[in-house]
């Protein structure tokens, strides 16, 4: 008979993470831990200039250095038709420069040598003759008449404009603005920031000359998609390509794109016949791999005199860098920016966006974000707080007045999206209660009377995660379903293989818990494997909080398929009709006779030893899940700050975060995800900045310049929750991984703006550093 013990690890239990046993002991198996016999090492030479003609590349001295096996140039790659590669946004990107370099840090040549040090020494001996050109470092410069043409490699490209995109309804929006009592405008820049995973990107390419099989170990969040792209780019048969993503030390979107280093290492291994390892250093990662954001946004919110929102108009200019390589669904040029109407019932909206090439690294990756949702959420939440300040209303009250109400779901937004579910007032109330909002507002007023600068910021974000229904969502044409394959062995232990790839989110635990819930096998008995394209079913990978909404659903569905078969076997074993059987706690029993029961373990054994006549042996299956809609997690974050008048330093006194991600599979893991996201949001709001000087030199190429928050700076977080299940997800779960990074920057900045509002300050762009706050206070005449 099954006992509760058999079911250990069901949904809702905060069991410890199974993977932590090896991680905490330092026994993870990351890319750099992999050593293959005969392995060579590759180092990449990068451009010191942001924009320059490449006149010559002299490799003679480098080739003669000790240990050097090959020096690879753009010219050599061009001979193999590999000097350029397609990007995830249907553009092309240089693998190794042949004509020009277009950003500082661009790949120019590579050295393959016996050791890493030999490769790096020889790389430094390559001599490149550059003819430096003026650099373009912003969309504003990119669109100036006479601006240098960055993509002169592209036929028909006469300027630096990439795309124009629109959503919503221009006419109805215009009419609503004409009737408004109040229009609040915010111009804000969401600066370039970098996912900066602790482990940088890299690969080991091992092309076996005898079999023709290319095995590529790679720090990839999407191994299957990468395999398909490799097959298309190199012409190698897909079955001869095996991509293995070992343990990954953080990705946050940075490990989705295909980087030139992967292609060069694979080509080098193919030509040389030995495995080639390439691992970036920190600076290479920060200057050349997928950055995020870099959106210049202007938002206008139209309201009536009572604070009811009437319409929203937004224009944004996107800085896409030298190659349009945004990792986002093909159909959505500006990502999922449509969600910019947020949690509010705004009857009409019109959004326009223009993308530009600049002399910066490409990217536009969804850094802990669903394809530009973060920028959208930031804009609307900042606008709403500014509107409250301008109207002299309380920011929580203005939000309450305009929330989409629970009974309005499924809700059709003005930009054409169907929100699946939500209860925004409830999340807001839980957050305000936790904070003691009414008392705090009085406290703020009292402190201000004493001359203190203090404020409260609120953000009630809505997100859209779980990309996505295949009819709308694809990457390079590949529909964004995901998959799970479940095999139950005769002893009742199971193997779950998935198309996703954890980078630290705890998939080995949470997906095992879904099997426990659905099939009664304890989580400890379910091994979860991801990341090997030779063994895992095809899937689009892990980013944009899509694993639980899509692959989590696939897991539930495949477990249910197996439970249906288990019922048939139980009926045979118990000699009872299927419809007379009840399922509970991992066993089938005969209705009214709970002692006549078969556990899932007994049934699994029978699946291989004692099946009914005519039934296929075994207990295994696969499910490909194409979600009917996205899931819409949400929450309210509230922050209290104190600002030092003399230095401009901001101290976060309180941070309350109430999240609703539907049903929580493992509450402890969910809280861990939220802590991580709030920390990253804090870094983006106050510390992190990658900027460029007039020549296009990247400022922010190391952790002394690009400041990540440590435990020292990070505030204490007070978490709360509400649970509004997704109506279409088999478990009612929504994604959560990115919620806190999406929702929190606006809450932090709103708190600072609330604190500075008595001085007439309406905006400070992130990162809100002490010197910016100090300058704003001085500008407002505060001279202490
Ligand atoms: O795609 P990614 O794994 O980054 O994001 P996610 O689907 O939001 O999941 C992050 C982690 O939180 C995973 O281990 C999930 O299974 C877990 N999670 C959960 O336990 N309950 C939820 N409702 C959502 C996520």
């Amino acid at each position: 008979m099954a006992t509760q013990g058999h079911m250990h690890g069901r949904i809702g239990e905060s069991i410890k993470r199974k993977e932590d046993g090896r991680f905490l002991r330092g026994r993870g198996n990351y890319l750099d831990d992999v050593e293959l016999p005969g392995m060579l090492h590759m180092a990449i030479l990068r451009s010191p200039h942001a924009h320059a003609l490449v006149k010559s590349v002299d490799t003679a001295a480098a080739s003669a250095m000790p240990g050097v096996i090959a020096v690879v140039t753009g010219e050599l790659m061009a001979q193999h038709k590999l000097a350029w590669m397609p990007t995830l946004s249907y553009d092309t990107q240089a693998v190794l420069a042949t004509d020009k370099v277009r950003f500082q840090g661009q790949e120019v040549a590579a050295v393959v040598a016996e050791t890493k040090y030999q490769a790096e020494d020889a790389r430094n001996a390559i001599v490149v003759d550059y003819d430096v050109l003026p650099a373009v470092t912003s969309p504003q410069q990119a669109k100036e008449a006479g601006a240098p043409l960055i993509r002169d490699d592209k036929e028909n490209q006469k300027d630096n404009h990439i795309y124009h995109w629109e959503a919503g309804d221009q006419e109805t929006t215009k009419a609503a603005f004409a009737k408004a009592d109040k229009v609040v405008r915010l111009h804000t820049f969401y600066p370039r920031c970098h996912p900066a995973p602790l482990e940088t990107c890299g690969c080991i390419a091992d092309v076996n000359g005898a079999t023709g099989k290319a095995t590529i170990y790679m720090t990839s969040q999407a191994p299957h998609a990468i395999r398909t792209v490799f097959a298309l780019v190199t012409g190698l048969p897909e079955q001869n390509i095996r991509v293995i993503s070992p343990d990954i030390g953080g990705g946050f979107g940075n490990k989705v794109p295909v980087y030139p280093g992967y292609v060069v290492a694979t080509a080098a291994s193919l030509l040389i016949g030995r495995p080639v390892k390439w691992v970036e250093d920190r600076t290479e990662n920060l200057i050349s791999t997928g950055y995020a954001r870099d959106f210049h946004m202007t938002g206008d919110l139209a309201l009536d005199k009572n604070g009811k929102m009437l319409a929203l108009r937004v224009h944004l200019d996107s800085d896409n860098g030298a190659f349009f390589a945004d990792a986002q669904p093909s159909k959505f040029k500006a990502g999922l920016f449509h969600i910019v109407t947020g949690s509010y019932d705004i009857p009409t909206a019109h959004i326009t966006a223009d993308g530009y090439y600049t002399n910066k690294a490409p990217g536009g990756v969804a850094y802990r974000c669903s394809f530009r949702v973060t920028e959208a959420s930031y804009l609307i939440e900042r606008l709403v707080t500014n509107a409250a300040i301008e109207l002299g209303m309380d920011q929580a009250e203005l939000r309450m007045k305009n929330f989409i109400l629970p009974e309005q779901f499924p809700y059709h937004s003005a930009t054409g999206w169907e929100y699946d579910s939500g209860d925004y007032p409830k999340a807001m109330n839980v957050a305000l209660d936790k904070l003691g909002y009414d008392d705090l507002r009085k406290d703020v007023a009292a402190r201000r009377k004493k001359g203190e600068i203090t404020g409260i910021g609120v953000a009630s974000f809505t997100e859209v995660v779980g990309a996505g229904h295949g009819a709308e969502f694809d990457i390079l044409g590949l529909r964004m379903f995901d998959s799970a394959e479940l095999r139950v062995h005769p002893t009742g232990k199971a193997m779950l293989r998935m198309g996703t790839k954890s980078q630290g989110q705890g998939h080995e635990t949470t997906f095992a818990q879904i099997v426990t819930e659905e099939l009664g096998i304890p989580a400890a008995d379910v091994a979860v494997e991801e990341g090997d394209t030779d063994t895992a079913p095809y899937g689009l990978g892990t980013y944009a909080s899509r694993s639980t909404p899509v692959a989590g659903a696939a897991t539930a569905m495949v477990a249910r398929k197996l439970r249906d078969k288990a019922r048939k076997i139980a009926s045979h074993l118990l000699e009872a009709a299927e419809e007379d059987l009840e399922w509970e706690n991992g066993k089938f029993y005969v209705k009214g006779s709970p002692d006549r029961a078969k556990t899932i373990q007994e049934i699994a054994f029978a699946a291989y030893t004692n099946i009914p006549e005519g039934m296929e042996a075994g207990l295994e299956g696969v499910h490909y899940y194409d979600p009917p809609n996205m899931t819409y997690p949400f929450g309210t974050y509230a922050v209290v700050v104190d600002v030092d008048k003399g230095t401009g330093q901001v101290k976060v006194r309180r941070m309350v975060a109430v999240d609703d991600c539907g049903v929580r599979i493992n509450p402890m893991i969910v809280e861990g995800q939220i802590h991580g996201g709030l920390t990253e949001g804090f870094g983006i709001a106050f510390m992190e900045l990658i900027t460029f000087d007039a020549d296009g030199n990247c400022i922010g190429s190391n952790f002394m310049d690009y400041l990540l928050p440590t435990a020292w700076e990070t505030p204490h977080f007070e978490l709360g929750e509400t649970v509004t299940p997704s109506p279409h997800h088999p478990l009612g779960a929504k994604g959560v991984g990115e919620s806190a990074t999406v929702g929190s920057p606006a809450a932090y900045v709103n708190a600072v703006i609330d604190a500075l509002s008595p001085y007439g300050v309406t905006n400070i762009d992130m990162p809100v550093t002490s010197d910016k706050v100090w300058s704003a206070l001085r500008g407002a005449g505060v001279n202490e």
Side-chain angles (χ1 to χ4, degrees):
M1 279 263 313
T3 64
Q4 279 303 321
H6 278 100
M7 293 287 286
H8 181 66
R10 288 181 75 160
I11 287 182
E13 283 182 42
S14 288
I15 60 169
K16 287 193 179 157
R17 297 185 358 146
K18 294 168 63 175
E19 46 271 77
D20 282 349
R22 66 178 190 281
F23 292 147
L24 295 176
R25 290 182 179 91
R27 302 292 292 275
N29 182 38
Y30 297 95
L31 180 94
D32 211 24
D33 296 320
V34 178
E35 298 284 337
L36 300 180
M39 190 173 77
L40 299 168
H41 296 264
M42 187 175 94
I44 292 180
L45 177 72
R46 296 175 182 278
S47 167
H49 305 293
H51 201 190
L53 293 171
V54 178
K55 291 168 71 185
S56 65
V57 181
D58 183 349
T59 60
S63 302
M65 288 185 60
V68 172
I69 306 291
V71 181
V72 187
T73 60
E75 207 178 301
L76 180 65
M77 292 297 279
Q79 286 166 19
H80 296 273
K81 297 197 167 35
L82 289 173
W84 291 82
M85 64 180 188
T87 70
L88 295 178
S89 283
Y90 291 97
D91 194 2
T92 47
Q93 176 172 355
V95 175
L96 292 178
T98 46
D99 54 343
K100 274 206 314 196
V101 286
R102 295 175 171 84
F103 67 91
Q104 188 188 51
Q106 186 181 332
E107 299 78 0
V108 177
V111 175
V112 181
E114 294 289 348
T115 71
K116 190 173 166 64
Y117 300 108
Q118 288 171 330
E120 289 183 0
D121 286 347
R123 170 191 61 192
N124 298 341
I126 299 173
V127 181
V128 185
D129 188 9
Y130 294 104
D131 199 350
V132 178
L133 301 167
V136 174
T137 58
S138 69
Q140 292 75 19
Q141 281 179 10
K143 59 180 140 176
E144 273 168 17
L149 180 63
I150 297 167
R151 295 301 302 276
D152 49 348
D153 57 291
K154 290 176 74 132
E155 250 180 74
N156 304 326
Q157 182 78 38
K158 302 285 175 250
D159 55 25
N160 295 315
H161 189 249
I162 309 173
Y163 65 80
H164 176 78
W165 170 88
E166 294 194 21
D169 189 321
Q170 186 171 15
E171 286 313 311
T172 53
T173 304
K174 202 169 154 193
F177 267 86
K179 288 195 199 128
D181 296 314
K182 179 90 190 155
V183 174
V184 178
R185 165 164 285 205
L186 176 68
H187 178 71
T188 183
F189 172 47
Y190 203 129
R192 170 176 287 227
C193 50
H194 198 282
L198 278 187
E199 179 202 33
T200 59
C201 300
C203 73
I204 302 168
D206 181 15
V207 185
N208 184 320
T211 63
K213 180 129 184 167
T215 303
I216 308 164
Y217 299 82
M218 191 187 283
T219 53
S220 175
Q221 298 176 225
H224 283 95
I226 296 275
R227 184 187 67 186
T228 303
V229 172
F230 258 62
L232 295 173
V233 172
T234 61
L236 290 173
E238 200 164 351
Q239 79 278 15
N240 274 4
I241 305 173
R242 179 181 189 186
V243 177
I244 301 175
S245 288
D247 285 333
I248 294 188
F252 312 111
N254 186 237
K255 290 171 179 165
V256 174
V258 178
Y259 294 121
Y262 303 157
V263 181
V264 182
T266 307
S269 176
L270 185 69
L271 294 175
I272 298 166
R274 288 169 65 179
V276 174
K277 180 188 252 188
W278 164 69
V279 181
E280 296 170 334
D281 66 20
R282 176 60 56 196
T283 293
E284 292 182 287
N285 181 257
L286 281 174
I287 67 173
S288 73
T289 61
Y291 69 87
R293 328 297 192 229
D294 226 345
F295 261 19
H296 300 257
M297 306 180 281
T298 304
D300 289 307
L301 183 61
L303 303 110
D304 71 13
K305 58 180 180 307
N306 301 315
K308 189 85 192 104
M309 295 174 193
L310 304 175
L312 177 70
R313 188 158 44 212
V314 176
H315 177 73
L316 64 92
D317 283 335
S318 166
D319 184 335
N320 290 84
F323 307 104
F324 182 30
D326 285 20
Q328 64 193 10
S330 310
K331 206 175 155 183
F332 306 110
K333 291 263 187 250
L336 307 189
F337 194 83
H338 315 60
I339 194 79
V340 69
T341 51
S343 308
Y344 310 101
D345 188 13
I346 304 179
T348 178
H350 185 232
I351 325 292
T352 52
D354 287 281
Y356 293 92
Y357 289 120
T358 59
N359 290 116
K360 297 178 181 174
V365 298
Y367 166 19
R368 214 164 180 172
C369 156
S370 280
F371 322 114
R372 309 296 194 168
V373 167
T374 313
E375 293 92 319
S377 175
Y378 181 76
L379 180 67
I380 186 68
E381 290 305 321
R382 284 282 302 106
L383 253 178
V384 174
T385 285
N386 275 23
I389 292 169
E390 283 197 32
L391 288 166
M393 282 180 74
D394 179 87
Q395 35 176 329
E397 190 191 325
L398 181 62
R399 286 179 166 83
M400 280 289 194
K401 195 182 263 274
N402 287 284
F403 276 150
I404 301 160
L405 297 173
E407 55 273 20
Q408 288 177 274
F409 291 93
Y411 173 81
H412 294 270
S413 79
T415 51
W417 292 72
E418 188 181 289
Y419 292 24
D420 67 345
S421 57
D423 191 340
Y424 305 143
K426 191 167 165 192
M428 168 74 92
N429 282 329
V430 173
L432 298 187
D433 281 354
K434 217 174 169 54
L435 196 66
Y437 187 69
D438 294 338
D439 289 343
L440 258 176
R441 279 256 74 115
K442 286 182 204 141
D443 179 60
V444 164
R447 285 173 186 254
R448 283 181 182 170
K449 276 202 182 125
K450 288 193 273 171
E452 289 180 35
I453 304 182
T454 184
I456 307 174
V458 176
S460 289
F461 68 95
T462 282
E463 260 218 280
V464 47
V465 307
H469 30 305
E472 294 260 19
F473 286 84
D474 73 275
I475 288 199
L476 289 179
L478 299 167
R479 288 168 73 112
M480 295 188 77
F481 56 83
D482 231 291
S483 59
E485 180 203 84
L486 182 58
R487 290 184 177 179
V488 183
H489 306 314
T491 54
K493 316 288 181 191
M495 167 68 77
L496 177 69
R497 292 196 167 112
M498 316 188 59
T500 41
K501 176 65 208 168
S502 184
Q503 307 120 47
Q505 295 96 321
H507 289 184
E508 288 172 44
T509 308
T510 46
F511 292 132
Q513 288 185 257
I514 296 175
V515 175
T516 309
E517 181 70 28
E518 296 293 337
L519 206 52
I521 300 174
D525 290 347
V526 183
V528 177
E529 242 187 47
E530 300 174 307
D532 183 340
T533 57
D534 263 12
T535 57
Y538 202 104
L540 268 283
T542 290
Y543 39 87
S545 288
R546 65 185 299 277
S547 303
T548 306
V550 192
T555 304
M557 298 306 280
V558 71
R560 287 175 193 180
K561 275 187 195 169
L562 267 54
R563 199 169 71 200
D564 288 344
K565 182 168 182 185
R567 177 186 289 272
K568 292 188 185 343
I569 298 172
S571 141
H572 162 72
L573 297 175
L574 293 164
E575 296 178 346
E578 279 183 54
E579 49 283 9
D580 290 339
L581 298 182
E582 291 282 2
W583 168 258
E584 197 180 74
N585 290 340
K587 64 179 193 227
F588 279 107
Y589 66 90
V590 181
K591 273 181 203 160
S593 310
D595 288 346
R596 284 183 62 204
K598 289 289 171 192
T599 65
I600 188 67
Q601 289 78 9
E602 289 166 326
I603 295 167
F605 197 70
Y608 297 87
T609 57
N610 179 13
I611 43 172
E613 200 58 40
M615 179 184 272
E616 241 181 283
L619 192 57
E620 63 180 65
V622 62
H623 192 91
Y624 283 75
Y625 187 79
D626 186 357
N629 191 4
M630 306 286 276
T631 66
Y632 289 73
F634 59 93
T636 291
Y637 295 163
V639 173
V640 184
V641 296
D642 297 309
V643 179
D644 185 280
K645 264 189 200 168
T647 62
Q649 196 187 10
V650 177
K651 280 229 163 80
V652 174
R653 192 177 353 133
R654 305 259 320 262
M655 177 3 144
V656 167
V658 174
D659 272 275
D660 191 322
C661 58
V663 172
R664 294 182 174 204
I665 295 160
N666 183 316
M668 178 190 69
I669 288 180
V670 168
E671 289 188 5
Q673 293 287 307
I674 294 168
H675 274 233
L678 293 175
T679 306
E680 286 182 323
F682 175 83
I684 291 166
F686 293 112
M687 299 168 70
E688 299 175 14
L689 178 68
I690 291 193
T691 188
F692 293 80
D693 69 13
D695 296 327
N697 292 309
C698 176
I699 319 289
S701 59
N702 58 70
F703 283 162
M704 292 299 284
D705 293 331
Y706 188 64
L707 303 179
L708 299 189
T710 66
W712 178 255
E713 296 86 9
T714 305
H716 174 70
F717 304 126
E718 302 166 55
L719 304 191
E721 68 174 289
T722 60
V723 176
T724 310
S726 166
H728 59 80
H729 186 278
L731 303 166
K734 303 178 178 184
V736 77
E738 68 196 32
S739 290
T741 321
V742 171
S744 67
Y748 293 118
V749 179
N750 282 344
V752 178
I753 297 305
D754 183 56
L756 300 183
S757 60
Y759 305 91
V761 178
T762 54
N763 188 44
I764 297 179
D765 281 335
M766 297 185 293
V768 180
T769 52
S770 301
D771 68 307
K772 286 191 199 171
V773 176
W774 185 86
S775 301
L777 284 170
R778 291 300 167 275
V782 179
N783 279 313
E784 273 176 48

